[in-house]
Amino acid sequence: MDAFTIHGGAPLSGRVRVNGSKNAALPILAAALLTDEPVTIRDVPRLADISNMLRLLERLGCTIDEHESNGMRGLTIDVEDESDNTAPYDVVRTMRASVCVLGPLLARRGMARVSLPGGCAIGDRPIDLHLRGLEALGARITLEGGDVVARTPPTGRLIGKRLFLGGANGPTVLGTANIMCAATLAKGTTIIEGAACEPEVVDLAKLLNAMGAQVMGAGTPRITVEGVERLHGATHTVIPDRIEAGTFLIAAGITNGKVTLENCPSDALVATLDQLERVGVHVMALPGRTEDPMRETVEVQCERRLKPTIVTTQPHPGFPTDLQAQMMALLCVADGNSVITERIFEQRFLHVAELGRMGANLFHQGPTVVVSGVRELIGAPVMASDLRASACLIIAGLAARGQTTVRRVYHLDRGYESMEKRLNSLGALIERVDEKQLVEI
Ligand code: EPZ
């Protein structure tokens, strides 16, 4: 397994491009199952999670052709064999997002068998809302040996319905993706009340409509889908990754750097930019570079002393849970006490103990952590536990005095492409090593 050794203290400076969004690309790739015509997706990042999804699509009868245009990685997915409808446990357990093949498979092939995802480091990951939504559309759902088996009604086609998809912790992003995809081929009209409003849902709807679907209201809590008989092929460029962009902005902030970010989805980061501004991390759009607020070129400049703030994670457009850990690292060195409350995944705090090993002063109680700012963090050996916790620890290591070793960076590789190379291009001092090479000091 790989680890990062990080020598902290270097302010980041320079220019980096934000890649296409992992969390947009995953359900978008799954949506290719809704047609037997080729679907081309551009700006797909090279990530472990994406590779897992491509392997799953191949097991579901797809051929995948990789190409490049304008420096962006493109994939053309062509469904050639629709006989296998199973997403097996060995795939789903490594990537929970595999669940987003459920809706497309069911709607297109009339039957889907998807292994129930287990829990993960950030907590239980139920899919009860996905299943209730599909049942509302007439699906017959059974649990067989740890698998969800979903079948269309005897007519072979789902039936449009008005349904409520919200859960105790707010809307479900991949649940909304699953129901929206399934509804595109249903008979009649579907209204999804309590839908997730995330930009990734909007991007998926844009692809579905390019494929001939009739999806209205994506990005609002009420999505309407007029079912059609079939969908056709399309070409789509994935929106930039707002979580990767936020991660770079925070890394620039904690190192008191000056970084230019290209392809920044500022319009999907308003709550995050608001918090960064409060703390003293100023993000300015460079004039005249683009008129697309989802693909801006921005420059980050920071105050020397950062100010504390109060952050509560919420469904979009609130502050994203996927930036909670990274923001915590930043606030560890702010000048005062901050409060972070996690409302989406209440167990998403495995990075707290690791930050404490680096001298952070954190008080965790239930869904809340009080962050009492310290003058500096001290480098130490730490362990990544999940994707965003690994980003948090790397950010902390960039600012810490001395050397930080982050183990199990395979978590990071799930969601960030060549992160050490891109941070090093901004002046960071990160080396990727085999954990076996590490001698505990
Ligand atoms: C998506 O996960 C993202 N993943 C997550 O990003 C992100 O943290 C999450 O949305 C919330 O924004 C992808 O898009 C691939 P949810 P998803 O269903 O859809 C509960 C990352 O770091 N819930 O929106 O699986 C659930 O437990 C990842 O990139 C139910 O109770 O999350 C949670 O508390 C991590 N029943 C809340 O809803 C359900 O059936 C939101 O979960 C589904 C969800």
Side-chain angles (χ1 to χ4, degrees):
M1 280 194 275
D2 288 353
F4 280 179
T5 58
I6 306 169
H7 290 278
L12 297 185
S13 67
R15 175 184 291 264
V16 68
R17 179 188 184 273
V18 178
N19 282 340
S21 163
K22 164 180 85 82
N23 289 352
L26 289 169
I28 278 173
L29 291 167
L33 293 166
L34 287 164
T35 180
D36 57 1
E37 295 184 14
V39 174
T40 295
I41 308 299
R42 293 199 177 116
D43 209 4
V44 181
R46 288 179 176 78
L47 302 170
D49 272 9
I50 297 291
S51 303
N52 280 328
M53 176 60 77
L54 298 179
R55 266 196 296 280
L56 175 56
L57 291 177
E58 285 171 339
R59 289 183 65 163
L60 293 169
C62 300
T63 58
I64 294 162
D65 173 46
E66 184 160 348
H67 39 80
E68 186 132 338
S69 62
N70 306 334
M72 293 191 291
R73 178 200 191 195
L75 298 172
T76 298
I77 298 103
D78 204 350
V79 183
E80 297 197 332
D81 174 1
E82 300 188 279
S83 58
D84 187 337
N85 308 322
T86 300
Y89 179 62
D90 64 306
V91 176
V92 176
R93 72 184 176 81
T94 57
M95 185 185 66
R96 184 187 174 286
S98 312
V99 71
C100 62
V101 302
L102 180 57
L105 275 183
L106 174 64
R108 170 78 189 176
R109 303 187 187 181
M111 186 267 194
R113 176 187 282 266
V114 176
S115 173
L116 267 172
C120 71
I122 64 178
D124 295 345
R125 304 295 295 275
I127 60 167
D128 58 307
L129 300 174
H130 299 235
L131 303 183
R132 278 186 56 219
L134 293 174
E135 282 178 327
L137 298 181
R140 292 168 294 144
I141 307 270
T142 54
L143 289 187
E144 297 173 23
D147 292 346
V148 169
V149 180
R151 294 179 178 85
T152 46
T155 58
R157 199 175 174 195
L158 296 170
I159 302 144
K161 182 84 180 307
R162 185 176 61 201
L163 59 97
F164 181 70
L165 198 56
N169 296 21
T172 164
V173 175
L174 289 183
T176 301
N178 256 332
I179 305 311
M180 195 163 65
C181 285
T184 58
L185 294 177
K187 181 173 174 50
T189 304
T190 297
I191 294 175
I192 307 172
E193 186 75 320
C197 302
E198 269 66 8
E200 294 76 27
V201 170
V202 177
D203 208 33
L204 172 60
K206 195 172 169 188
L207 167 70
L208 293 172
N209 287 339
M211 293 169 70
Q214 293 183 36
V215 179
M216 285 76 69
T220 76
R222 188 178 179 100
I223 296 176
T224 302
V225 184
E226 297 296 342
V228 296
E229 294 284 333
R230 62 183 301 281
L231 297 180
H232 52 71
T235 296
H236 178 78
T237 301
V238 171
I239 54 170
D241 193 316
R242 61 192 168 103
I243 306 303
E244 176 179 278
T247 303
F248 277 122
L249 294 174
I250 291 169
I254 203 170
T255 61
N256 193 27
K258 184 174 178 182
V259 172
T260 300
L261 226 48
E262 295 176 347
N263 202 38
C264 179
S266 309
D267 210 40
L269 278 167
V270 179
T272 301
L273 296 176
D274 171 64
Q275 283 290 359
L276 291 176
E277 185 63 30
R278 292 168 194 232
V279 169
V281 178
H282 307 302
V283 181
M284 284 104 25
L286 294 184
R289 295 300 180 94
T290 172
E291 61 285 340
D292 180 354
M294 283 295 285
R295 289 180 169 83
E296 289 188 340
T297 299
V298 302
E299 190 174 80
V300 197
Q301 291 189 16
C302 320
E303 310 279 341
R304 283 212 64 78
R305 290 299 296 160
L306 300 173
K307 295 184 274 301
T309 186
I310 296 175
V311 178
T312 299
T313 67
Q314 293 166 316
H316 194 76
F319 188 91
T321 175
D322 293 350
L323 283 173
Q324 177 257 106
Q326 299 92 312
M327 194 69 182
M328 188 180 291
L330 182 68
L331 295 173
C332 283
V333 294
D335 198 5
N337 297 333
S338 299
V339 181
I340 296 180
T341 301
E342 173 59 62
R343 287 287 182 226
I344 311 297
F345 295 108
E346 295 199 351
Q347 297 167 38
R348 196 172 200 169
F349 286 131
L350 290 178
H351 44 284
V352 169
E354 299 305 304
L355 287 170
R357 288 176 49 75
M358 299 177 70
N361 195 353
L362 306 172
F363 177 72
H364 173 198
Q365 191 159 50
T368 296
V369 173
V370 174
V371 184
S372 183
V374 295
R375 281 200 54 71
E376 65 174 356
L377 295 172
I378 314 298
V382 291
M383 182 88 73
S385 53
D386 60 271
L387 168 55
R388 306 306 175 181
S390 53
C392 156
L393 296 173
I394 289 158
I395 287 169
L398 291 175
R401 173 157 53 84
Q403 177 174 302
T404 297
T405 306
V406 181
R407 293 171 178 272
R408 299 187 182 175
V409 292
Y410 65 83
H411 289 294
L412 184 86
D413 295 333
R414 289 189 50 201
Y416 294 94
E417 183 178 341
S418 309
M419 197 56 165
E420 77 277 18
K421 290 177 186 155
R422 298 159 79 203
L423 287 171
N424 287 344
S425 75
L426 297 174
L429 299 169
I430 303 173
E431 187 185 354
R432 182 185 286 259
V433 298
D434 186 319
E435 284 194 3
K436 290 197 285 290
Q437 291 175 253
L438 296 175
V439 177
E440 282 314 333
I441 39 182

PDB file of all heavy atoms in Angstrom, residues 249 252-253 257-259 273 276-285 298-307:
ATOM      1  N   LEU A 249      -8.712  24.889  -3.023  1.00  0.00           N
ATOM      2  CA  LEU A 249      -8.858  26.233  -2.435  1.00  0.00           C
ATOM      3  C   LEU A 249      -8.428  26.208  -0.972  1.00  0.00           C
ATOM      4  O   LEU A 249      -7.727  27.104  -0.498  1.00  0.00           O
ATOM      5  CB  LEU A 249     -10.315  26.694  -2.558  1.00  0.00           C
ATOM      6  CG  LEU A 249     -10.856  26.946  -3.967  1.00  0.00           C
ATOM      7  CD1 LEU A 249     -12.351  27.261  -3.905  1.00  0.00           C
ATOM      8  CD2 LEU A 249     -10.097  28.068  -4.664  1.00  0.00           C
ATOM      9  N   ALA A 252      -4.653  25.868  -0.639  1.00  0.00           N
ATOM     10  CA  ALA A 252      -4.012  27.176  -0.851  1.00  0.00           C
ATOM     11  C   ALA A 252      -4.159  28.037   0.402  1.00  0.00           C
ATOM     12  O   ALA A 252      -3.215  28.688   0.852  1.00  0.00           O
ATOM     13  CB  ALA A 252      -4.645  27.888  -2.044  1.00  0.00           C
ATOM     14  N   GLY A 253      -5.344  27.959   1.014  1.00  0.00           N
ATOM     15  CA  GLY A 253      -5.612  28.785   2.194  1.00  0.00           C
ATOM     16  C   GLY A 253      -4.736  28.414   3.367  1.00  0.00           C
ATOM     17  O   GLY A 253      -4.159  29.283   4.033  1.00  0.00           O
ATOM     18  N   GLY A 257      -1.020  30.484   0.473  1.00  0.00           N
ATOM     19  CA  GLY A 257      -0.484  30.504  -0.879  1.00  0.00           C
ATOM     20  C   GLY A 257      -1.246  31.445  -1.795  1.00  0.00           C
ATOM     21  O   GLY A 257      -2.170  32.146  -1.382  1.00  0.00           O
ATOM     22  N   LYS A 258      -0.823  31.425  -3.063  1.00  0.00           N
ATOM     23  CA  LYS A 258      -1.519  32.222  -4.087  1.00  0.00           C
ATOM     24  C   LYS A 258      -1.625  31.345  -5.330  1.00  0.00           C
ATOM     25  O   LYS A 258      -0.632  31.116  -6.036  1.00  0.00           O
ATOM     26  CB  LYS A 258      -0.710  33.489  -4.406  1.00  0.00           C
ATOM     27  CG  LYS A 258      -1.433  34.404  -5.388  1.00  0.00           C
ATOM     28  CD  LYS A 258      -0.671  35.720  -5.564  1.00  0.00           C
ATOM     29  CE  LYS A 258      -1.381  36.615  -6.596  1.00  0.00           C
ATOM     30  NZ  LYS A 258      -0.636  37.866  -6.824  1.00  0.00           N
ATOM     31  N   VAL A 259      -2.833  30.783  -5.542  1.00  0.00           N
ATOM     32  CA  VAL A 259      -3.035  29.746  -6.568  1.00  0.00           C
ATOM     33  C   VAL A 259      -4.102  30.195  -7.558  1.00  0.00           C
ATOM     34  O   VAL A 259      -5.076  30.841  -7.177  1.00  0.00           O
ATOM     35  CB  VAL A 259      -3.460  28.417  -5.889  1.00  0.00           C
ATOM     36  CG1 VAL A 259      -3.871  27.372  -6.924  1.00  0.00           C
ATOM     37  CG2 VAL A 259      -2.333  27.880  -4.999  1.00  0.00           C
ATOM     38  N   LEU A 273     -17.498  29.078  -0.831  1.00  0.00           N
ATOM     39  CA  LEU A 273     -16.792  30.350  -1.041  1.00  0.00           C
ATOM     40  C   LEU A 273     -17.177  31.352   0.041  1.00  0.00           C
ATOM     41  O   LEU A 273     -16.345  32.133   0.512  1.00  0.00           O
ATOM     42  CB  LEU A 273     -17.103  30.900  -2.441  1.00  0.00           C
ATOM     43  CG  LEU A 273     -16.623  30.029  -3.608  1.00  0.00           C
ATOM     44  CD1 LEU A 273     -17.075  30.623  -4.949  1.00  0.00           C
ATOM     45  CD2 LEU A 273     -15.112  29.869  -3.583  1.00  0.00           C
ATOM     46  N   LEU A 276     -15.165  30.378   3.095  1.00  0.00           N
ATOM     47  CA  LEU A 276     -13.735  30.699   2.911  1.00  0.00           C
ATOM     48  C   LEU A 276     -13.506  32.199   3.042  1.00  0.00           C
ATOM     49  O   LEU A 276     -12.536  32.651   3.659  1.00  0.00           O
ATOM     50  CB  LEU A 276     -13.251  30.181   1.551  1.00  0.00           C
ATOM     51  CG  LEU A 276     -13.167  28.655   1.421  1.00  0.00           C
ATOM     52  CD1 LEU A 276     -12.772  28.241  -0.007  1.00  0.00           C
ATOM     53  CD2 LEU A 276     -12.165  28.078   2.432  1.00  0.00           C
ATOM     54  N   GLU A 277     -14.442  32.981   2.501  1.00  0.00           N
ATOM     55  CA  GLU A 277     -14.329  34.450   2.615  1.00  0.00           C
ATOM     56  C   GLU A 277     -14.359  34.854   4.080  1.00  0.00           C
ATOM     57  O   GLU A 277     -13.567  35.685   4.538  1.00  0.00           O
ATOM     58  CB  GLU A 277     -15.482  35.104   1.834  1.00  0.00           C
ATOM     59  CG  GLU A 277     -15.433  36.612   1.757  1.00  0.00           C
ATOM     60  CD  GLU A 277     -14.208  37.162   1.025  1.00  0.00           C
ATOM     61  OE1 GLU A 277     -13.699  36.467   0.113  1.00  0.00           O
ATOM     62  OE2 GLU A 277     -13.733  38.247   1.417  1.00  0.00           O
ATOM     63  N   ARG A 278     -15.243  34.256   4.851  1.00  0.00           N
ATOM     64  CA  ARG A 278     -15.338  34.600   6.293  1.00  0.00           C
ATOM     65  C   ARG A 278     -14.024  34.312   7.008  1.00  0.00           C
ATOM     66  O   ARG A 278     -13.618  35.020   7.929  1.00  0.00           O
ATOM     67  CB  ARG A 278     -16.425  33.772   6.978  1.00  0.00           C
ATOM     68  CG  ARG A 278     -17.850  34.074   6.577  1.00  0.00           C
ATOM     69  CD  ARG A 278     -18.740  32.980   7.131  1.00  0.00           C
ATOM     70  NE  ARG A 278     -20.066  33.016   6.518  1.00  0.00           N
ATOM     71  CZ  ARG A 278     -21.185  33.051   7.238  1.00  0.00           C
ATOM     72  NH1 ARG A 278     -21.128  33.073   8.539  1.00  0.00           N
ATOM     73  NH2 ARG A 278     -22.352  33.048   6.646  1.00  0.00           N
ATOM     74  N   VAL A 279     -13.384  33.225   6.596  1.00  0.00           N
ATOM     75  CA  VAL A 279     -12.159  32.769   7.275  1.00  0.00           C
ATOM     76  C   VAL A 279     -10.940  33.590   6.841  1.00  0.00           C
ATOM     77  O   VAL A 279      -9.952  33.684   7.567  1.00  0.00           O
ATOM     78  CB  VAL A 279     -11.971  31.260   6.984  1.00  0.00           C
ATOM     79  CG1 VAL A 279     -10.616  30.759   7.406  1.00  0.00           C
ATOM     80  CG2 VAL A 279     -13.071  30.454   7.682  1.00  0.00           C
ATOM     81  N   GLY A 280     -11.044  34.206   5.641  1.00  0.00           N
ATOM     82  CA  GLY A 280      -9.916  35.009   5.144  1.00  0.00           C
ATOM     83  C   GLY A 280      -9.227  34.387   3.952  1.00  0.00           C
ATOM     84  O   GLY A 280      -8.081  34.723   3.630  1.00  0.00           O
ATOM     85  N   VAL A 281      -9.910  33.453   3.285  1.00  0.00           N
ATOM     86  CA  VAL A 281      -9.382  32.874   2.045  1.00  0.00           C
ATOM     87  C   VAL A 281     -10.209  33.485   0.911  1.00  0.00           C
ATOM     88  O   VAL A 281     -11.383  33.155   0.729  1.00  0.00           O
ATOM     89  CB  VAL A 281      -9.501  31.339   2.038  1.00  0.00           C
ATOM     90  CG1 VAL A 281      -8.987  30.764   0.714  1.00  0.00           C
ATOM     91  CG2 VAL A 281      -8.722  30.742   3.217  1.00  0.00           C
ATOM     92  N   HIS A 282      -9.593  34.437   0.197  1.00  0.00           N
ATOM     93  CA  HIS A 282     -10.338  35.209  -0.791  1.00  0.00           C
ATOM     94  C   HIS A 282     -10.192  34.605  -2.189  1.00  0.00           C
ATOM     95  O   HIS A 282      -9.064  34.384  -2.647  1.00  0.00           O
ATOM     96  CB  HIS A 282      -9.839  36.658  -0.774  1.00  0.00           C
ATOM     97  CG  HIS A 282      -9.860  37.259   0.596  1.00  0.00           C
ATOM     98  ND1 HIS A 282     -11.018  37.350   1.355  1.00  0.00           N
ATOM     99  CD2 HIS A 282      -8.867  37.738   1.389  1.00  0.00           C
ATOM    100  CE1 HIS A 282     -10.736  37.889   2.529  1.00  0.00           C
ATOM    101  NE2 HIS A 282      -9.443  38.143   2.576  1.00  0.00           N
ATOM    102  N   VAL A 283     -11.347  34.345  -2.823  1.00  0.00           N
ATOM    103  CA  VAL A 283     -11.350  33.708  -4.143  1.00  0.00           C
ATOM    104  C   VAL A 283     -11.952  34.696  -5.141  1.00  0.00           C
ATOM    105  O   VAL A 283     -13.108  35.102  -4.991  1.00  0.00           O
ATOM    106  CB  VAL A 283     -12.162  32.402  -4.117  1.00  0.00           C
ATOM    107  CG1 VAL A 283     -12.155  31.724  -5.486  1.00  0.00           C
ATOM    108  CG2 VAL A 283     -11.610  31.446  -3.050  1.00  0.00           C
ATOM    109  N   MET A 284     -11.147  35.096  -6.125  1.00  0.00           N
ATOM    110  CA  MET A 284     -11.636  36.089  -7.102  1.00  0.00           C
ATOM    111  C   MET A 284     -11.627  35.497  -8.501  1.00  0.00           C
ATOM    112  O   MET A 284     -10.633  34.908  -8.916  1.00  0.00           O
ATOM    113  CB  MET A 284     -10.722  37.328  -7.087  1.00  0.00           C
ATOM    114  CG  MET A 284     -10.912  38.234  -5.933  1.00  0.00           C
ATOM    115  SD  MET A 284      -9.661  38.154  -4.630  1.00  0.00           S
ATOM    116  CE  MET A 284      -8.196  37.588  -5.222  1.00  0.00           C
ATOM    117  N   ALA A 285     -12.748  35.679  -9.218  1.00  0.00           N
ATOM    118  CA  ALA A 285     -12.790  35.251 -10.624  1.00  0.00           C
ATOM    119  C   ALA A 285     -11.929  36.208 -11.432  1.00  0.00           C
ATOM    120  O   ALA A 285     -12.039  37.423 -11.282  1.00  0.00           O
ATOM    121  CB  ALA A 285     -14.231  35.252 -11.117  1.00  0.00           C
ATOM    122  N   VAL A 298     -10.173  31.188 -11.386  1.00  0.00           N
ATOM    123  CA  VAL A 298     -10.192  31.985 -10.157  1.00  0.00           C
ATOM    124  C   VAL A 298      -8.804  32.039  -9.538  1.00  0.00           C
ATOM    125  O   VAL A 298      -7.963  31.175  -9.774  1.00  0.00           O
ATOM    126  CB  VAL A 298     -11.193  31.415  -9.128  1.00  0.00           C
ATOM    127  CG1 VAL A 298     -12.598  31.358  -9.699  1.00  0.00           C
ATOM    128  CG2 VAL A 298     -10.752  30.060  -8.620  1.00  0.00           C
ATOM    129  N   GLU A 299      -8.598  33.091  -8.751  1.00  0.00           N
ATOM    130  CA  GLU A 299      -7.322  33.241  -8.051  1.00  0.00           C
ATOM    131  C   GLU A 299      -7.587  33.278  -6.546  1.00  0.00           C
ATOM    132  O   GLU A 299      -8.556  33.904  -6.104  1.00  0.00           O
ATOM    133  CB  GLU A 299      -6.633  34.544  -8.477  1.00  0.00           C
ATOM    134  CG  GLU A 299      -5.193  34.667  -7.990  1.00  0.00           C
ATOM    135  CD  GLU A 299      -4.521  35.895  -8.574  1.00  0.00           C
ATOM    136  OE1 GLU A 299      -4.756  36.998  -8.043  1.00  0.00           O
ATOM    137  OE2 GLU A 299      -3.797  35.741  -9.584  1.00  0.00           O
ATOM    138  N   VAL A 300      -6.775  32.565  -5.785  1.00  0.00           N
ATOM    139  CA  VAL A 300      -6.951  32.469  -4.337  1.00  0.00           C
ATOM    140  C   VAL A 300      -5.859  33.277  -3.657  1.00  0.00           C
ATOM    141  O   VAL A 300      -4.676  33.111  -3.976  1.00  0.00           O
ATOM    142  CB  VAL A 300      -6.794  31.012  -3.855  1.00  0.00           C
ATOM    143  CG1 VAL A 300      -7.379  30.855  -2.465  1.00  0.00           C
ATOM    144  CG2 VAL A 300      -7.433  30.055  -4.807  1.00  0.00           C
ATOM    145  N   GLN A 301      -6.248  34.166  -2.757  1.00  0.00           N
ATOM    146  CA  GLN A 301      -5.266  34.871  -1.923  1.00  0.00           C
ATOM    147  C   GLN A 301      -5.751  34.813  -0.476  1.00  0.00           C
ATOM    148  O   GLN A 301      -6.946  34.798  -0.224  1.00  0.00           O
ATOM    149  CB  GLN A 301      -5.128  36.330  -2.374  1.00  0.00           C
ATOM    150  CG  GLN A 301      -4.461  36.449  -3.735  1.00  0.00           C
ATOM    151  CD  GLN A 301      -4.126  37.902  -4.061  1.00  0.00           C
ATOM    152  OE1 GLN A 301      -4.124  38.768  -3.188  1.00  0.00           O
ATOM    153  NE2 GLN A 301      -3.842  38.178  -5.316  1.00  0.00           N
ATOM    154  N   CYS A 302      -4.822  34.785   0.465  1.00  0.00           N
ATOM    155  CA  CYS A 302      -5.222  34.499   1.849  1.00  0.00           C
ATOM    156  C   CYS A 302      -4.678  35.527   2.815  1.00  0.00           C
ATOM    157  O   CYS A 302      -3.599  36.075   2.618  1.00  0.00           O
ATOM    158  CB  CYS A 302      -4.690  33.142   2.265  1.00  0.00           C
ATOM    159  SG  CYS A 302      -4.819  31.963   0.941  1.00  0.00           S
ATOM    160  N   GLU A 303      -5.452  35.716   3.877  1.00  0.00           N
ATOM    161  CA  GLU A 303      -4.970  36.530   4.999  1.00  0.00           C
ATOM    162  C   GLU A 303      -3.878  35.718   5.725  1.00  0.00           C
ATOM    163  O   GLU A 303      -3.938  34.488   5.745  1.00  0.00           O
ATOM    164  CB  GLU A 303      -6.122  36.755   5.996  1.00  0.00           C
ATOM    165  CG  GLU A 303      -7.402  37.253   5.374  1.00  0.00           C
ATOM    166  CD  GLU A 303      -7.365  38.758   5.129  1.00  0.00           C
ATOM    167  OE1 GLU A 303      -6.517  39.416   5.764  1.00  0.00           O
ATOM    168  OE2 GLU A 303      -8.155  39.230   4.297  1.00  0.00           O
ATOM    169  N   ARG A 304      -2.966  36.409   6.369  1.00  0.00           N
ATOM    170  CA  ARG A 304      -1.932  35.681   7.109  1.00  0.00           C
ATOM    171  C   ARG A 304      -2.541  34.921   8.280  1.00  0.00           C
ATOM    172  O   ARG A 304      -2.257  33.772   8.531  1.00  0.00           O
ATOM    173  CB  ARG A 304      -0.861  36.643   7.627  1.00  0.00           C
ATOM    174  CG  ARG A 304       0.117  37.084   6.543  1.00  0.00           C
ATOM    175  CD  ARG A 304       1.490  37.324   7.121  1.00  0.00           C
ATOM    176  NE  ARG A 304       2.077  36.101   7.673  1.00  0.00           N
ATOM    177  CZ  ARG A 304       2.634  35.157   6.908  1.00  0.00           C
ATOM    178  NH1 ARG A 304       2.631  35.281   5.603  1.00  0.00           N
ATOM    179  NH2 ARG A 304       3.158  34.089   7.458  1.00  0.00           N
ATOM    180  N   ARG A 305      -3.416  35.596   9.038  1.00  0.00           N
ATOM    181  CA  ARG A 305      -4.078  34.910  10.153  1.00  0.00           C
ATOM    182  C   ARG A 305      -5.524  34.630   9.742  1.00  0.00           C
ATOM    183  O   ARG A 305      -6.245  35.543   9.348  1.00  0.00           O
ATOM    184  CB  ARG A 305      -4.059  35.757  11.437  1.00  0.00           C
ATOM    185  CG  ARG A 305      -2.691  35.911  12.068  1.00  0.00           C
ATOM    186  CD  ARG A 305      -2.071  34.602  12.501  1.00  0.00           C
ATOM    187  NE  ARG A 305      -2.806  33.903  13.575  1.00  0.00           N
ATOM    188  CZ  ARG A 305      -2.656  32.595  13.807  1.00  0.00           C
ATOM    189  NH1 ARG A 305      -1.922  31.856  13.015  1.00  0.00           N
ATOM    190  NH2 ARG A 305      -3.295  32.014  14.808  1.00  0.00           N
ATOM    191  N   LEU A 306      -5.899  33.383   9.869  1.00  0.00           N
ATOM    192  CA  LEU A 306      -7.244  32.998   9.473  1.00  0.00           C
ATOM    193  C   LEU A 306      -8.212  33.191  10.639  1.00  0.00           C
ATOM    194  O   LEU A 306      -7.831  33.039  11.803  1.00  0.00           O
ATOM    195  CB  LEU A 306      -7.239  31.531   9.014  1.00  0.00           C
ATOM    196  CG  LEU A 306      -6.310  31.242   7.816  1.00  0.00           C
ATOM    197  CD1 LEU A 306      -6.258  29.744   7.553  1.00  0.00           C
ATOM    198  CD2 LEU A 306      -6.769  32.008   6.581  1.00  0.00           C
ATOM    199  N   LYS A 307      -9.446  33.493  10.290  1.00  0.00           N
ATOM    200  CA  LYS A 307     -10.459  33.729  11.327  1.00  0.00           C
ATOM    201  C   LYS A 307     -11.319  32.468  11.515  1.00  0.00           C
ATOM    202  O   LYS A 307     -11.504  31.684  10.589  1.00  0.00           O
ATOM    203  CB  LYS A 307     -11.336  34.912  10.899  1.00  0.00           C
ATOM    204  CG  LYS A 307     -10.578  36.246  10.818  1.00  0.00           C
ATOM    205  CD  LYS A 307     -11.485  37.412  10.486  1.00  0.00           C
ATOM    206  CE  LYS A 307     -11.691  37.605   8.989  1.00  0.00           C
ATOM    207  NZ  LYS A 307     -10.462  37.848   8.229  1.00  0.00           N
TER     208      LYS A 307
END
